[in-house]
Amino acid sequence: LSISSETLYVRAGILDEDRTQNLVDSILQDSKITERQKQRLIDLYKDFLEANVEPHERASSVSDITEGTGS
């Protein structure tokens, strides 16, 4: 595709370009780690960001919230 996975994440709305650009740029520019390690770091960061989102912000419907609570 000739496009970085980070760019795909930003375009998909998974990563916010403004907040993560410096961190992602630093990871991508680091010559001491492999491309796979870079991708794993970016993925881990993305997972942490998603984990910090409130359930009502992440849910696609009200039933997604209530199903998790047993209501």
Side-chain angles (χ1 to χ4, degrees), residues 1-70:
L1 293 173
S2 300
I3 189 169
S4 72
S5 56
E6 183 268 333
T7 301
L8 289 173
Y9 287 143
V10 170
R11 289 184 183 175
I14 296 170
L15 290 178
D16 181 62
E17 188 171 25
D18 295 333
R19 291 184 61 209
T20 62
Q21 195 60 43
N22 289 338
L23 175 62
V24 171
D25 283 345
S26 294
I27 291 171
L28 293 173
Q29 292 174 7
D30 193 326
S31 61
K32 297 179 206 99
I33 58 177
T34 67
E35 292 300 315
R36 184 168 187 251
Q37 291 169 328
K38 292 174 187 180
Q39 189 59 55
R40 292 187 67 199
L41 281 171
I42 293 168
D43 289 343
L44 183 60
Y45 180 66
K46 176 195 69 151
D47 290 343
F48 282 136
L49 290 177
E50 289 177 7
N52 290 335
V53 174
E54 294 296 322
H56 67 278
E57 294 173 346
R58 189 178 7 199
S60 60
S61 70
V62 174
S63 64
D64 289 344
I65 298 170
T66 58
E67 286 175 11
T69 61

